[in-house]
Amino acid sequence: MPRSKPVAERAVPEQEESQFSDDLVIVVRLDVRLHDKRKWRPGVELPLIHAMDDRSLLEVTSEFSFVHPNMESVLRTIPVLLVAVVLLAFVRFLLDRKNGYTRGLPLPPGPKGWPVIGNMLNMTASQPWIAYRNLAIECGDIIYFQVLGQPLLVLGNAALVSEFFEKRSANTVGQDKNYGIMPYGQQWRQHRRLFWQHFNVRAVSAYQQTQTDTTRKFLLKLLQDPSQLVEHIRYAFLATILKVLVGIDVSDNGDNQYSGHIDAALEGFSQGLMPGKFLVGLLPFLRFVPSWVPGAGFQNTFARWREASAALRHGPFEHVKDAMERGDAPESVLAKLLSRVPDESGIWGASAEEVEEIIKNIGFVGIEGGAETTFSAVQSAFLAMSLHPSVQKKVQTELDAVVGPHRLPEFADQASLVYVSALCKEALRWQNVTPMGVPHRTTADDELEGYFVPAGTLVSANVWACMHDPAVFEDPDEFRPERFIRNGKLDVSARDPSAFAFGFGRRICPGRHFAEAGLFIIVASVLHVFDITPPLDEQGRPIEITPGQTDGIIS
Ligand code: HEM
């Protein structure tokens, strides 16, 4: 079996390398062969970058990911911090004096904190989901923290997650005007209903052709230039979602007017919500501090992110609206929604402007969520393939038998491609796209397993712990699609990673059917025509790869 020539010096350009210096950079070299001709092509480096780099791997950070405060940022915000500390100490003092604050119930267990700053200093910096799983061994699966007066709760097992997020989902809310994290209420329901109309399990079958077409283009790009794997995967998802939502054809070189805005908006979502990174995440009143106040420089950064988000909200919407006015709008979700503005206004008694605002938000969240999340899951699958050649062999044997050497996989093959489907499930389980889920906030005082949960607590599910529970998944760190197969069929009794990976309750990801379809067609198509192998060192020996995840909501 011919081997590829040694890995070139670096897969990541120099100016990029400096950004990642402290982070894990995984360079995966794929040896590419045309599967039907059994012909090897020299592999070229394919960087799979697991780093604090939002452009290569979406890394949206939750308000609840408990990342250790970035010291530089804390130092910069000292003047603001001092004011905040005094105010908080006063508020805590008043609260503690309030009779019956915890209804006589204990607060859930958690690490002991300091006065006022609470557990700020023992927040874990990296891979918090592993730290919380380890902490759960001491504290149990309900862990309580408090940072600057903000209560935080981590739930570490599937039963608790189901109890709190599924059964009491009415008691949990998002935190923003962004549809993805918008509080419950009439407005959220309107967004959800319209989004769901176009992404429910039946509706998404209409997008299969687009998903297939962009996947084929992706294969060609990979064949022509495998060194740009990450960019090609990005292209595939961005091109698909822009075509579906807006009707835009992204050019083959990936150029489109929205990429820059998507990057900045995602960076805002990612960094802006990271606790400790910006104190305003924990102390919302700081958002009113003008940018000229020492320590309030974050306002300028936030303004840049707001601008990018606004461009992404308005741009695609105006693009479709203009095309509709000209009468040449191609079919798209936004075009369909816009054509229904009068009907929808009639249904809700809302003004046309209000309905249009919702349509803008749907376009924005759809692009934001659709372009990058599935991308992360695909990287997990490819990383697993480079580490587990025997799994790859099994998938390819199945693909050979079901699809054969003369064509590429189609959605019609999905029911017969059991091992591919199991592999997609295992990819979602093994390296979670959202290892700590998306935090929800309680709106009223509550009780869980005899513990008091104050109103305003940010509650997060340790999805990673649920997906790596050895009582449910034997040898959970191993990548083993067989765990989802019984008697040659998908085992419906196995815990389904999709029930955790896509969130919970009424907030569960409405893009999940679309995402799963995208994951399937890309994984099946790539493995049908390419082999994925680890990079080689200068002596041509495979380089050992350590799998890892970035910190944040989306990893
Ligand atoms: C592997 C891919 C994906 C993963 C792992 C994922 C995961 C999630 C999670 C964890 C949530 C939060 C649920 C909660 O609050 O409990 C969410 C919400 C959401 N996702 Fe996804 N998602 C993916 C793909 C997509 C795609 C492709 C779209 C768009 C087409 C999308 C659109 C949304 C929207 C609109 C929400 C907000 C829902 C609401 O609050 O009502 N997602 N997603």
Side-chain angles (χ1 to χ4, degrees):
M1 186 171 67
R3 271 321 214 170
S4 338
K5 60 180 187 274
V7 174
E9 293 62 57
R10 288 287 289 127
V12 183
E14 241 162 50
Q15 86 267 21
E16 286 184 324
E17 189 176 353
S18 60
Q19 298 170 22
F20 311 142
S21 52
D22 292 334
D23 299 302
L24 173 64
V25 176
I26 300 173
V27 180
V28 176
R29 182 183 180 119
L30 305 192
D31 280 330
V32 180
R33 72 181 160 124
L34 287 173
H35 197 54
D36 51 350
K37 294 187 186 153
R38 298 289 186 265
K39 184 173 139 198
W40 288 82
R41 292 167 54 84
V44 186
E45 291 170 291
L46 297 170
L48 279 187
I49 300 165
H50 283 230
M52 298 291 285
D53 171 31
D54 60 283
R55 282 170 301 118
S56 53
L57 185 69
L58 176 65
E59 174 248 331
V60 175
T61 306
S62 129
E63 197 174 335
F64 192 35
S65 65
F66 300 150
V67 176
H68 190 280
N70 171 325
M71 282 318 289
E72 194 190 332
S73 155
V74 168
L75 289 174
R76 272 191 279 113
T77 50
I78 275 178
V80 185
L81 180 65
L82 286 176
V83 178
V85 163
V86 173
L87 276 172
L88 272 166
F90 185 61
V91 171
R92 293 302 320 168
F93 172 74
L94 292 181
L95 279 178
D96 290 346
R97 277 170 52 112
K98 201 173 138 195
N99 197 17
Y101 170 57
T102 68
R103 295 183 193 157
L105 295 170
L107 287 167
K112 195 165 160 38
W114 292 86
V116 181
I117 61 168
N119 299 108
M120 196 171 191
L121 298 179
N122 44 27
M123 294 294 95
T124 177
S126 170
Q127 314 271 308
W129 42 93
I130 298 178
Y132 300 136
R133 195 267 315 266
N134 295 341
L135 198 55
I137 294 167
E138 285 167 41
C139 300
D141 284 331
I142 307 177
I143 312 173
Y144 183 81
F145 299 85
Q146 185 259 103
V147 177
L148 289 171
Q150 170 63 58
L152 310 160
L153 195 68
V154 180
L155 304 178
N157 74 44
L160 286 168
V161 167
S162 160
E163 167 65 28
F164 210 83
F165 284 91
E166 304 277 354
K167 300 190 185 141
R168 307 188 199 188
S169 56
N171 195 25
T172 52
V173 291
Q175 13 241 312
D176 205 79
K177 290 203 169 70
N178 176 331
Y179 161 41
I181 45 177
M182 179 181 276
Y184 281 129
Q186 168 87 340
Q187 209 194 11
W188 170 78
R189 274 194 295 278
Q190 289 162 347
H191 281 78
R192 180 91 190 181
R193 190 172 70 82
L194 287 188
F195 195 96
W196 187 240
Q197 276 172 11
H198 296 278
F199 285 93
N200 64 59
V201 72
R202 255 186 319 154
V204 296
S205 60
Y207 313 136
Q208 287 182 353
Q209 194 52 53
T210 303
Q211 288 178 307
T212 307
D213 293 346
T214 48
T215 300
R216 304 269 160 101
K217 282 192 183 168
F218 161 75
L219 293 183
L220 198 59
K221 281 164 160 288
L222 198 53
L223 185 65
Q224 286 162 348
D225 184 4
S227 68
Q228 298 295 314
L229 171 71
V230 171
E231 286 313 312
H232 296 333
I233 305 177
R234 275 194 117 204
Y235 160 86
F237 288 110
L238 188 58
T240 306
I241 198 69
L242 284 180
K243 180 73 182 163
V244 167
L245 274 172
V246 192
I248 292 177
D249 284 306
V250 174
S251 72
D252 284 354
N253 64 10
D255 282 349
N256 71 87
Q257 62 269 54
Y258 302 116
S259 296
H261 298 316
I262 292 172
D263 288 350
L266 283 170
E267 182 189 328
F269 195 62
S270 169
Q271 306 294 321
L273 295 177
M274 184 187 284
K277 179 88 183 176
F278 293 95
L279 272 179
V280 67
L282 291 166
L283 305 172
F285 66 85
L286 292 181
R287 73 180 62 170
F288 301 112
V289 178
S291 60
W292 49 263
V293 170
F298 64 87
Q299 294 285 24
N300 296 328
T301 313
F302 275 43
R304 185 169 62 81
W305 291 337
R306 267 199 303 274
E307 206 179 302
S309 297
L312 210 52
R313 276 182 84 243
H314 296 289
F317 173 87
E318 298 299 344
H319 175 92
V320 177
K321 201 171 173 188
D322 288 350
M324 287 177 76
E325 277 163 14
R326 287 194 310 269
D328 61 2
E331 193 175 309
S332 72
V333 169
L334 288 198
K336 281 187 195 142
L337 287 169
L338 270 166
S339 69
R340 284 190 43 81
V341 168
D343 303 335
E344 291 294 334
S345 316
I347 296 171
W348 313 332
S351 68
E353 288 72 28
E354 284 169 326
V355 179
E356 287 192 356
E357 278 305 301
I358 293 175
I359 297 171
K360 278 184 196 169
N361 289 339
I362 286 176
F364 172 61
V365 173
I367 294 172
E368 234 192 3
E372 297 282 356
T373 41
T374 325
F375 166 60
S376 171
V378 166
Q379 290 197 80
S380 162
F382 288 176
L383 176 61
M385 290 305 92
S386 74
L387 294 168
H388 302 280
S390 61
V391 172
Q392 193 172 179
K393 199 83 323 330
K394 285 186 190 166
V395 187
Q396 290 175 336
T397 304
E398 183 183 68
L399 285 161
D400 284 347
V402 174
V403 181
H406 304 299
R407 65 177 180 90
L408 287 165
E410 308 272 354
F411 279 101
D413 300 314
Q414 193 165 9
S416 312
L417 292 172
V418 174
Y419 201 82
V420 175
S421 301
L423 188 148
C424 293
K425 284 186 187 297
E426 181 68 342
L428 284 173
R429 184 201 70 82
W430 182 61
Q431 300 268 324
N432 309 137
V433 179
T434 55
M436 291 296 293
V438 171
H440 292 204
R441 190 194 292 267
T442 60
T443 50
D445 288 348
D446 207 340
E447 185 190 327
L448 184 65
E449 305 264 301
Y451 294 115
F452 180 72
V453 180
T457 300
L458 284 170
V459 188
S460 196
N462 192 341
V463 169
W464 184 88
C466 299
M467 293 289 89
H468 290 77
D469 180 349
V472 181
F473 299 108
E474 199 187 320
D475 299 326
D477 294 334
E478 283 186 17
F479 189 88
R480 204 188 285 166
E482 289 79 5
R483 58 176 99 243
F484 298 108
I485 299 176
R486 188 192 277 187
N487 300 330
K489 295 196 176 121
L490 282 179
D491 181 1
V492 286
S493 66
R495 179 180 289 175
D496 188 352
S498 301
F500 291 81
F502 293 106
F504 312 98
R506 65 177 76 179
R507 282 325 270 247
I508 190 168
C509 173
R512 63 191 183 280
H513 302 300
F514 182 67
E516 287 184 305
L519 184 59
F520 162 78
I521 197 70
I522 276 221
V523 166
S525 304
V526 168
L527 292 176
H528 193 46
V529 293
F530 296 119
D531 276 344
I532 300 179
T533 62
L536 304 179
D537 66 15
E538 277 160 19
Q539 279 76 48
R541 290 172 309 215
I543 295 173
E544 198 179 321
I545 298 170
T546 311
Q549 294 199 236
T550 54
D551 301 317
I553 282 185
I554 301 184
S555 180

